[in-house]
Amino acid sequence: MSENTPANGKTPVDFWFDPLCPWAWMTSRWMLEVEKVRDVEVRWHVMSLAVLNEDKLDELPEEYRDLLENQAWGPVRVVVAARQLHGDAVVGPLYTALGTRFHNNDEGLTRETVVAALKDVGLPADLADHADSDQYDTELRASHKEGIDKVGEEVGTPVIAVPGADGEQVAFFGPVVTPAPKGEEAAKLWDGTLLVASVPGFYEIKRTRTQGPIFD
């Protein structure tokens, strides 16, 4: 997961996601729009809400705790297994297939949904078996840790890392936005992200969310 510019000369953007997170899904759809209007290339990485919260489960609402304990491990494990067995290039398309079915289509976090998403991108259905396997948990945790190490503690998903003032990457949680901006609006938000990343002392802008994710 190098910070170096890709061979095609495009600006690299590293993006950490958990397929379950609707806000990460919104931000990821924005980044796909940015790829259309700016010379950037997104490199997709897994982070895990289950790993992020595993030491504070007792502090969480029961419904969210149940989600993390019983459903959150499966999708990220499948994505990591797909990456290990089929390469980096499958991660973005598989995330799109999973997210479309989880969020836009509201198909539920089931094995059947995961299998359907795998088939959408031409991957073997038996990758779904990894949802219940810890075979690649070391790699999952390493990917998660890389994102968190860049952005710091007390954040969630998504995490993006973009070029800063000195060429080194600067990582942020977010941007949290709904619906996902398109066209010139997507470009303006991207340009603003680069602008704040260019200020060494910039850390945070935030306001209370008054609207849920709008899937379109």
Side-chain angles (χ1 to χ4, degrees), residues 5-112:
T5 301
N8 58 19
K10 294 186 176 183
T11 299
V13 183
D14 289 288
F15 190 109
W16 281 263
F17 67 92
D18 186 314
L20 264 62
C21 178
W23 294 106
W25 178 245
M26 292 284 92
T27 308
S28 72
R29 299 311 91 182
W30 162 65
M31 278 309 314
L32 290 183
E33 284 291 314
V34 173
E35 282 191 321
K36 299 175 185 177
V37 294
R38 293 291 185 266
D39 202 22
V40 305
E41 179 178 287
V42 182
R43 303 184 293 199
W44 304 98
H45 313 287
V46 165
M47 65 183 297
S48 167
L49 291 171
V51 172
L52 185 70
N53 292 285
E54 63 185 347
D55 294 329
K56 47 190 175 187
L57 288 174
D58 291 343
E59 305 169 16
L60 301 175
E62 182 178 354
E63 184 177 359
Y64 189 44
R65 184 169 66 245
D66 180 69
L67 174 71
L68 295 177
E69 291 181 314
N70 298 314
Q71 295 181 289
W73 285 98
V76 287
R77 282 172 165 169
V78 171
V79 176
V80 170
R83 181 177 203 162
Q84 293 298 310
L85 298 172
H86 298 276
D88 290 350
V90 305
V91 176
L94 179 55
Y95 177 31
T96 288
L98 287 167
T100 299
R101 290 180 176 275
F102 289 162
H103 303 299
N104 294 60
N105 300 348
D106 197 22
E107 295 181 21
L109 305 176
T110 66
R111 178 185 172 86
E112 290 74 21

Side-chain angles (χ1 to χ4, degrees), residues 160 162-165 170 172 189-205:
I160 63 169
V162 304
V170 176
F172 296 112
L189 180 56
W190 169 251
D191 294 342
T193 301
L194 290 184
L195 178 62
V196 297
S198 72
V199 179
F202 175 82
Y203 292 100
E204 183 176 12
I205 293 176

Side-chain angles (χ1 to χ4, degrees), residues 140-215:
L140 189 163
R141 289 177 179 276
S143 179
H144 176 90
K145 183 177 184 298
E146 183 178 24
I148 291 297
D149 283 351
K150 284 180 177 292
V151 75
E153 301 295 333
E154 301 304 322
V155 299
T157 174
V159 168
I160 63 169
V162 304
D166 56 3
E168 295 295 317
Q169 282 190 323
V170 176
F172 296 112
F173 162 63
V176 176
V177 61
T178 189
K182 294 179 172 60
E184 185 56 29
E185 195 173 49
K188 287 194 295 185
L189 180 56
W190 169 251
D191 294 342
T193 301
L194 290 184
L195 178 62
V196 297
S198 72
V199 179
F202 175 82
Y203 292 100
E204 183 176 12
I205 293 176
K206 190 171 183 178
R207 62 175 177 164
T208 299
R209 291 195 295 258
T210 58
Q211 192 171 39
I214 298 172
F215 309 122

